[in-house]
Amino acid sequence: MRRYSAFAIAREAARHHLGWERAWRSPEPKASYDVIIVGAGGHGLATAYYLGKNHGIKNVAVIEKGWLGGGNTGRNTTIIRSNYLQDPSAAIYEKARSLYETLSQDLNYNVMFSPRGVMMLAQTQHEIRGYQRTAHANALQGVETEFISPRKVKELCPIIELKGPRYPVLGALWQPRGGTARHDAVAWGYARACSDMGMDIIQQTEVTGVRRDGGKVVGVETTKGYIGCSKLGVVVAGHSGVMAERAGFRLPIESVALQALVSEPIKPCMDVVVMANTVHGYMSQSDKGEMVIGGGADGYNNYTQRGSFQHVEETVRALIETFPMISRLKMLRWWGGIVDMTGDRSPIISKTPVENMFINCGWGTGGFKAIPGSGWAMAELMAKGESPLAAEFSMGRFREGRFIDESVAAGVAH
Amino acid sequence: MSDIAVSALAGAAFTGIVSVSEAGLRGMVTLKADLEAAAVKKAVKKLCGTDVPAVRRVAAGPEVQVAWMAPDELLILCDHAKADAMVADLAAALAGHHHLAVNVSDARAMFELSGDAGAVRDVLAKITPADMRPDVLVPGEMRRTRIAQIPAALWFETEGKAFVICFRSVAQYAFDLLSTSAKPGGEVGYF
Amino acid sequence: MLLLTCPYCGASVEETELTPGGEAHLKRYGPGSTDQDFEAYLFLRPNKKGVHFERWRHAYGCGKWFLAARDTATLEVFGTYSAQTTKPPAEIIETIQAKHPDWSPE
Amino acid sequence: MTTRLAQGGLRIDRQKQIEFTFNGKRMTGFEGDTLASALLANGQKIVGRSFKYHRPRGVVTSGAEEPNALVNLGEKGRFEPNQRATTTEIFDGLSATSQNHWPSLDWDIGEVNALAARFLPAGFYYKTFIHPRPFWKHVFEPFIRQSAGLGKAPHPEDRDEDRYEHFYAHVDLVVAGAGVAGLQAALVAARAGLQVLVCEQAPRIGGRLPVDGAEIDGLSASDWIAKAADELSGYPNVELRPRTQVSGVYDHGYVLAYERLADHAPDADTPRHRLWRIRARHVIAATGALERPLSFPGNDKPGVMLASAVRDYVVDYGVSVGDRTVVVTNNDDAYRTAIAIKSAGLDVPCIVDARATAAGLLVEEARALGITVKTGTAIAGVKGLRGVVAVQLCAQAGEGSVTEEIVCDAVAMSGGWSPVVHLWSHCGGKLTWDADQAFFRPDHARPPTDHNGAGFVTCLGAADGALQLQDTVANADSVARAVVAELGGSAADAGSPLSVAARPEAPLEPIWVMPQGAGVKKRSKMWLDFQNDVKVSDVQLAAREGFESVEHTKRYTTLGMATDQGKLSNINGLAILAQSLNENIPRVGTTTFRPPYTPISMGAIAGEARGEIFQPLRRTPIHAWHDDQAAYWEPVGHWRRPYCYPRDGESHSGAVTREINATRSSLGLLDASTLGKIIVKGPDAGRFMDMLYTNMMSSLKPGRCRYGLMCSENGFLIDDGVVARLDDDTFLVHTTTGGADRIHGWMEDWLQCEWWDWEVFTVNVTEQWAQIAVVGPNARALLDKLGSDTDLSAEALPFMAWTDAKIGGFYARVFRISFSGELSFEVAVPASQGRAFWDALHAEGAEFNATAYGTEALHVMRAEKGFIMIGDETDGTVIPQDLGLHWAISKKKEDYLGKRAQSRSHMTDPDRWQLVGLETLDGSVLPDGSYALAEGENANGQGNTQGRVTSTYYSPTLDRGIAMGLVLHGPDRMGEVLTFNTTKKIVKGEKPKTVKAKIVSPVFYDPEGEKQNV
Ligand SMILES: Cc1cc2nc3c(=O)[nH]c(=O)nc-3n(C[C@H](O)[C@H](O)[C@H](O)COP(=O)(O)OP(=O)(O)OC[C@H]3O[C@@H](n4cnc5c(N)ncnc54)[C@H](O)[C@@H]3O)c2cc1C
Ligand SMILES: NC(=O)c1ccc[n+]([C@@H]2O[C@H](COP(=O)([O-])OP(=O)(O)OC[C@H]3O[C@@H](n4cnc5c(N)ncnc54)[C@H](O)[C@@H]3O)[C@@H](O)[C@H]2O)c1
Ligand SMILES: Cc1cc2nc3c(=O)[nH]c(=O)nc-3n(C[C@H](O)[C@H](O)[C@H](O)COP(=O)(O)O)c2cc1C
Ligand SMILES: [Zn+2]
């Protein structure tokens, strides 16, 4: 792989950029692989990447029914933070966040990780207590976070209306090294690196079945025919239920639409990410200038990538209350994604009832931030059969009643 | 001591595209029972002077109105001072018959909208997803729905005269909402 | 934005007047049931891409729960019916099969 | 030079002059002008700067598809960035400034980007700015952000001065677009008696017809339109709304339309925007077609415009875009522009027609007017920096060697037309590629489907690919009849088809690059996306690098992601992509069409919900009194409860302390009206209550109260409260403030969906009652003083009993329950008398120093007493067993909601943390939510813990900090001292600060209950 750099660009400029090579190959599938990953979203590609990088497993295919990165990875509001309450969550999200810090260098691809800071506004006494609890937990979890005063909030984000009137801002939980990244670039950077390791990324190919032999996975049926494998990792987010059915089991997951929207681009006016959970809205500004806004999830099962208007209405209403200056901005585009919601709203990284078949799903509304950590843990689980980061996220927890509930500290999952 | 009883907004009023006014205290009794049961039909007839209304209808007796709320629920509208008596009478009339009758007068607020027939529908259509077409929500039919962010029951007594019932705690919100919706300059001229 | 007909009011109402209630026809498992059955009852869902039976409450209306048969891939609604049933009624099944001949209830 | 012509201009009223400013410069226009036409009339050629290279940009279209002419509009509370000049009607006092440049529109530093363009190809930023690491955040990103973005951000402290509203409409048919097709469709539907809502985004109906002209039913274009409008206005079943854009089509026939009421008249006292939320049985998209640019080198220079736009400016606005305009085209329609220009007395040096031959009536007419037509010809380059001064011609077939140079100051280009299929596609309608006419049109076999599984959107007229007027009209008429028939209207009454006299046109020839053989140098000067600066070479680069999916290309190059959403650029772009991949266009496909059709204001989306009515605020009957006392509010759900009542100069904690001391020493009053109250009645009520609560409720005697716990089916505590048995088959359930509606819904859920054969009715009577807690040693004294018709003595009404009573003349229900540990009566009176009763209590209570207390005093007092609080001790992960509430969990019942769940391995785990009391050794107050440290770290390197604080307060009664918490094996470790962390922020190298606390009983005050039982 020819490395990217300013010099490379200068060199190419001289020949009108005719010399750039493909970012990733698009090969025909081989008869079989050591490992097949289903789903070329961030989590699937990261899993493949760390299988190769950390465990030397490179005879890997990543099979994608559409275009790589076109799932939720390609349609999320890119908030990255790790100040979660529960130990297992904080561990994997912080692992991910710290990997993001150096991801551009690791991948030689600028994923534009921007640790501009994330704040979650406290607008009720209950939220204050919840966030102070989180802050205490984070201190022990090694996550840098802090409960800040309204004054500091206004300093960091001048466009906020502190006085409410309905819900005055009483403080905020602030993670200075949280931020955003260029979502597409994360998928592309991993894909390029995987391809460079000799892995096959096979797009426009749907996995339609899981072939088993005595409870053991031996390969997958696809729209391009049968492909063998000794281990299978299913990382298909919203379609996890569909894939589980094809493998003969059920998951504690329901797929619903989650929406987002962007305003027309304007000059920089917001340097941090703000989440206002009392009124249900969050916003940040992309490098291109749009205000990136996340809406709520629908309450009904849906595979259409279109959501219901009232969630957008509620979100925009909430954000105008929080950031009155957006009232005269315009919504440019509005879309949805299919998110995989588990029974406790926490992810699953787990073995499955089918031997040698692993699943990574349930990231729901908040898995973009987890991509590197999740890939790291999933790869370790698939390579070694266990991973400390993944241990608590096994499917078994639902049977034992051992939940990982993040909603408790007035937190949301994004 | 109903003399010291006050409604949520003490009759607040606003006039814009249409006039909006809080209708003051109104007696309201929720009756839950099997509406098919003869005993219930009889009791309603006797105490309200009207038959059990058909689905979504409001039946008007001499002093009392009876609104269909659900397959097993009626709302009886009467004089505020007579609500407790109404409950007692129902209890007596339905003794031994499974039912629940309770005074909910003070849990509610009621508003009257009056003015040009079309304008009243316009004002409501700004805040409710319910179909306000005159041939759909005909006078005498009650629609339980939402106005903006709160539950409400709407019905037209006649064209140009509508009532809105909501919970007492949000009476101020409902009033502000209706007034905003009726604010001059916001004429729609659709209905 | 979904539009469903409440079988009790007979009114066709929009999603914002309803609250969704998840999978329909779940069999409750109480004390004495196995861990498997209990887990399945509380958590494991078919989560079908296609025909789906679900619960809705006419929360802003008559307050009644009702059930709907809906296609989660097209959002087509095959019908709504009483919540006091343990399985989809025959006419609903017919309607579905008219559209999807190869479909059959589990 | 662009200028106003001496006469002409269908839309403008030359009698009505209007003054406005652009970049501070005073200009004038006429009523009917758009800001774009007025700017052109004032000779303003450059109106903005492009996004990436900051290239000078001029007006390129005359409508919603405009990518270039975006301005900052208005000031202060009326300021708005990125306003499209081509759809902004001017009004007196309008002030606009151009965007995305520094220091000025004409001299923009950012233009260096243009010089460096060669080093800034698509996606360059992914390939660089990688080292050194901190530079991205601190150097590169700020720079990129500054040069990106378009309009100015509104000032943080400015507040929108306008109001907005919604409107719900239910109709048979929505017709989007009132061009000839839409009007004809509306007429057909109206005559057939359907309820029709016609939405036209423009201020004027008629679409392209008035400008293009034609004879319909023997009438001139304008006359026919007037006649149609007149007939429509006669139908009660038809509503026609100008300035109303159908902005999105959604599932189940949901349609959003965006009505701009006041943008053109800001001083009118009307809402600025009205968002229509429509339920339609069917949607007709008569949205027309949009003209495409041609990709020739320099096609982005100010002065290069769409041919239809040039025509519109001349005919509609009487504006000339240049004295000498070269028309370049691959189709006949553009000849109309040449003819229009010529007829306006302006010069057309030549028509550059890429087609090998040009014949047909329009061509003849142009030639007859003396216009030279150069066929097989292309534009090889455009001369001029800030505007066109000449074009260089070449053979379309070749690589672009210049054959001649033509002096001109404007270029009118037409690459053909694309039907506006957005509304068809929003909800999943599929498209098919029409190779002859070179555009995507609706695939009638695959429409978007509604709740019945039936197609519910139909495109007609140009939107259906019927471009030439006679086809447009025929298509509109027949398709409309079919739709009407489907909707049950009678096509018989639909009136007779229209007769059109129009001139047939020769087919166009698809031209994607001009000249066909252009080398990379030229291709890097051919603009596809004028706003985002995406060029032919960029799309080809994306293809080369493997971004083969059109969705990848879009995201890699940002093609079509600008504020115009690629209305001009997408088709050209994907044609180029297809070429580079040797794919055919339909296989490459389009990107996803998403609403809104054009951007809509956030204000309109929020509608009326701002300020006071942002959200409902629930008020108790006593709310106003709290307000008068300047209560410090605490939001609880949509309620607002007094947290405390600070007096002048009093701190919140000071107030809380005073309230507690007054209550414990004499008398406190609490407005507890928000507590949930639900009546549960019926033969099976007892049985039902036993399922709802963990403890036995069926055994409760009428007249008595019992505290109970509710769990979710998943085992976790969800609510608690006191149950009173009213009579044999009636219970009154008290829930938490937040719980009332939730728990009532929960009850109905079980009754309707699981135990529907049980005879139980429930009613939520929360708001029927004002409930007031009369608390403290003098509580009974006060009630006695008010006078009660019922004996309230300890004997007659012992702790945990209730009775009806008449107190001070108020009909009341009195509960002997206590959440504070004091002698306490909770008295419920009808809400309508709540305020009066509250006032009476204060009046009579004065001698006892009756003191109103708020939620914080309530919380402290319950904590002193060791009572748990839902939301503090519980957080959704806590089961009653964790809280030492075994006494409230019936062993006798074989079932209750949550029982099965509580037998799962993790819930019976003896290592679950248990509730205890905590006392710091130094008397200080433990920090909220702090954790008890344990030895070592877990597998992920996180510090181990053995417990946490669930609630913690300063107790005025004990004058020290008290707390409750969940601790590993807590109850067995009384007296043990734990270490809690007090730092909420980790500082590298620093070890967390801590405080020591002893494990004690959670009951800090009056453990024997001597005070409450008196
Ligand atoms: C609107 C929205 C906003 C969000 N905001 C945030 C945020 O701010 N921060 C955050 O951290 N997270 C956020 N999320 C969540 C985040 O986007 C997801 O958790 C994350 O992207 C999931 O990545 P993934 O790789 O698991 O799934 P995806 O990116 O969806 O990848 C799954 C892939 O599997 C493919 N696939 C499915 N079935 C098959 C099959 N049978 N065969 C082959 N391929 C198949 C799909 O095509 C898809 O490409 C948001 C999500 C949405 C929708
Ligand atoms: N000869 C050609 O090559 C050619 C090409 C294109 C168009 N035309 C001419 O264009 C006309 C086509 O007639 P038509 O009625 O189909 O299209 P039209 O362009 O005349 O009218 C479409 C109307 O829809 C409105 N509109 C578009 N999107 C909208 C939305 N989302 N909401 C509300 N309004 C919206 C537009 O403002 C316009 O008024 C004919 O006069 C035809 O001759 C000719
Ligand atoms: C962070 C972020 C920023 C975006 N910014 C833009 C934008 O500036 N312009 C645009 O047209 N779309 C923007 N989009 C939306 C995408 O165009 C697209 O709608 C989204 O990725 C979903 O894909 P789909 O609409 O093709 O289904 C953005 C999306 C994300 C996640
Ligand atoms: Zn109903």
Side-chain angles (χ1 to χ4, degrees), chain A residues 39 41-43 64-65 72-73 76-77 79 207 237 364-369:
Chain A
H43 288 255
E64 166 57 51
K65 78 171 157 65
N72 294 342
T73 301
N76 78 90
T77 49
I79 297 174
V207 171
T365 63
F368 175 73
K369 63 178 67 62

Side-chain angles (χ1 to χ4, degrees), chain A residues 87-379:
Chain A
D87 284 352
S89 319
I92 197 162
Y93 287 109
E94 174 59 15
K95 174 70 179 179
R97 200 204 57 77
S98 58
L99 286 169
Y100 264 121
E101 293 262 6
T102 58
L103 196 57
S104 297
Q105 293 71 31
D106 297 350
L107 299 177
N108 175 238
Y109 201 92
N110 186 358
V111 302
M112 304 182 195
F113 173 61
S114 170
R116 53 183 68 180
V118 175
M119 68 169 70
M120 300 197 265
L121 301 180
Q123 295 177 281
T124 65
Q125 302 295 329
H126 184 255
E127 267 182 320
I128 294 181
R129 287 195 293 272
Y131 287 144
Q132 292 190 336
R133 175 180 168 192
T134 306
H136 279 113
N138 290 161
L140 298 170
Q141 293 155 340
V143 175
E144 186 185 348
T145 181
E146 180 185 2
F147 190 84
I148 57 174
S149 70
R151 220 191 74 264
K152 184 86 189 290
V153 168
K154 187 76 177 174
E155 248 170 59
L156 289 162
C157 186
I159 65 173
I160 285 188
E161 168 59 86
L162 283 184
K163 305 234 162 330
R166 186 60 193 275
Y167 299 104
V169 174
L170 308 172
L173 186 63
W174 168 241
Q175 182 170 25
R177 297 298 294 180
T180 60
R182 176 80 179 84
H183 54 289
D184 295 319
V186 171
W188 300 342
Y190 274 120
R192 175 166 169 266
C194 287
S195 179
D196 182 53
M197 282 189 277
M199 299 179 176
D200 290 350
I201 302 168
I202 301 159
Q203 301 184 67
Q204 307 299 340
T205 306
E206 175 166 5
V207 171
T208 53
V210 176
R211 197 181 288 182
R212 283 149 288 168
D213 180 357
K216 224 169 175 317
V217 70
V218 294
V220 294
E221 318 289 345
T222 80
T223 47
K224 285 207 178 112
Y226 173 77
I227 309 175
C229 68
S230 29
K231 284 185 182 174
L232 177 65
V234 173
V235 196
V236 295
H239 283 73
S240 298
V242 178
M243 279 304 296
E245 185 179 20
R246 289 168 183 172
F249 60 93
R250 280 185 183 182
L251 289 168
I253 283 191
E254 302 208 66
S255 296
V256 304
L258 180 70
Q259 302 172 81
L261 60 115
V262 287
S263 75
E264 294 179 322
I266 53 174
K267 290 296 176 186
C269 62
M270 185 184 192
D271 297 333
V272 301
V273 179
V274 176
M275 308 169 77
N277 298 329
T278 299
V279 291
H280 308 303
Y282 59 97
M283 185 166 92
S284 66
Q285 185 173 23
S286 85
D287 287 349
K288 279 200 2 278
E290 327 89 68
M291 308 312 288
V292 178
I293 294 174
D298 286 323
Y300 56 90
N301 296 34
N302 184 349
Y303 283 90
T304 63
Q305 291 193 340
R306 296 186 301 269
S308 297
F309 174 67
Q310 74 269 19
H311 299 291
V312 167
E313 179 188 9
E314 188 194 347
T315 302
V316 168
R317 188 198 294 154
L319 291 175
I320 290 178
E321 185 77 358
T322 315
F323 309 97
M325 59 86 82
I326 71 166
S327 179
R328 294 180 84 92
L329 299 185
K330 298 189 228 68
M331 171 171 76
L332 169 59
R333 189 173 170 104
W334 154 23
W335 66 94
I338 302 307
V339 294
D340 39 343
M341 310 291 266
T342 63
D344 62 0
R345 301 291 181 263
S346 287
I348 293 172
I349 308 176
S350 179
K351 299 178 175 170
T352 69
V354 180
E355 204 178 328
N356 290 344
M357 172 173 170
F358 302 79
I359 191 154
N360 177 345
C361 61
W363 293 98
T365 63
F368 175 73
K369 63 178 67 62
I371 284 172
S374 158
W376 184 286
M378 179 75 168

Side-chain angles (χ1 to χ4, degrees), chain B residues 54-145:
Chain B
V55 175
R56 299 207 309 273
R57 300 290 306 178
V58 182
E63 286 127 38
V64 183
Q65 292 165 302
V66 185
W68 185 96
M69 304 295 274
D72 57 1
E73 180 181 346
L74 299 175
L75 183 68
I76 299 170
L77 297 130
C78 59
D79 180 353
H80 186 262
K82 297 203 180 122
D84 281 326
M86 175 63 74
V87 171
D89 297 347
L90 283 165
L94 293 172
H97 187 90
H98 172 45
H99 77 285
L100 168 49
V102 55
N103 183 349
V104 293
S105 317
D106 288 5
R108 306 269 190 277
M110 185 160 153
F111 297 90
E112 179 180 330
L113 274 66
S114 56
D116 169 72
V120 173
R121 290 185 182 270
D122 281 346
V123 166
L124 286 170
K126 290 183 188 184
I127 52 179
T128 177
D131 192 338
M132 286 294 118
R133 281 177 289 185
D135 55 335
V136 175
L137 188 65
V138 296
E141 173 160 331
M142 178 184 279
R143 179 71 149 84
R144 296 182 72 183
T145 176

Side-chain angles (χ1 to χ4, degrees), chain A residues 74-76 288 290 333, chain D residues 554-555 561 565 592 594:
Chain A
R75 56 190 66 243
N76 78 90
K288 279 200 2 278
E290 327 89 68
R333 189 173 170 104
Chain D
K554 160 187 162 177
R555 288 159 176 79
M561 296 181 81
Q565 291 287 288
T592 307
R594 293 279 186 184

Side-chain angles (χ1 to χ4, degrees), chain A residues 239 241-242 245 250-255 298-304 308-310 343 395 398-399 403, chain C residues 1-2 15-16 20 22-23 35-36 39 43-49 52 54 56 70 72-75 106:
Chain A
H239 283 73
V242 178
E245 185 179 20
R250 280 185 183 182
L251 289 168
I253 283 191
E254 302 208 66
S255 296
D298 286 323
Y300 56 90
N301 296 34
N302 184 349
Y303 283 90
T304 63
S308 297
F309 174 67
Q310 74 269 19
M395 276 166 71
F398 293 92
R399 188 163 296 181
F403 305 103
Chain C
M1 171 97 71
L2 305 187
E15 192 185 319
T16 61
E23 189 79 21
D35 282 351
Q36 284 84 331
E39 179 196 19
F43 296 109
L44 302 185
R45 298 289 174 259
N47 193 21
K48 286 264 193 253
K49 184 174 189 174
H52 182 255
E54 61 196 10
W56 291 89
R70 189 176 56 88
T72 59
T74 64
L75 305 193
E106 310 219 325

Side-chain angles (χ1 to χ4, degrees), chain D residues 175-183 199-202 204-209 212 244-247 286-290 311 331-333 336 417 420 423 460-463 466-470 472 505 597:
Chain D
V175 177
V180 61
L183 288 169
C199 302
E200 168 54 55
Q201 66 188 10
R204 178 187 71 178
I205 64 169
R208 292 217 53 77
L209 193 56
D212 290 0
T244 305
Q245 177 181 83
V246 172
S247 86
T287 46
L290 294 177
R311 188 153 88 235
N331 65 74
D332 279 12
D333 184 57
R336 290 194 167 87
W417 293 74
V420 177
L423 302 184
L460 47 66
L467 295 188
Q468 299 185 33
L469 186 57
Q470 61 277 23
T472 308
E505 298 166 31
Y597 177 63

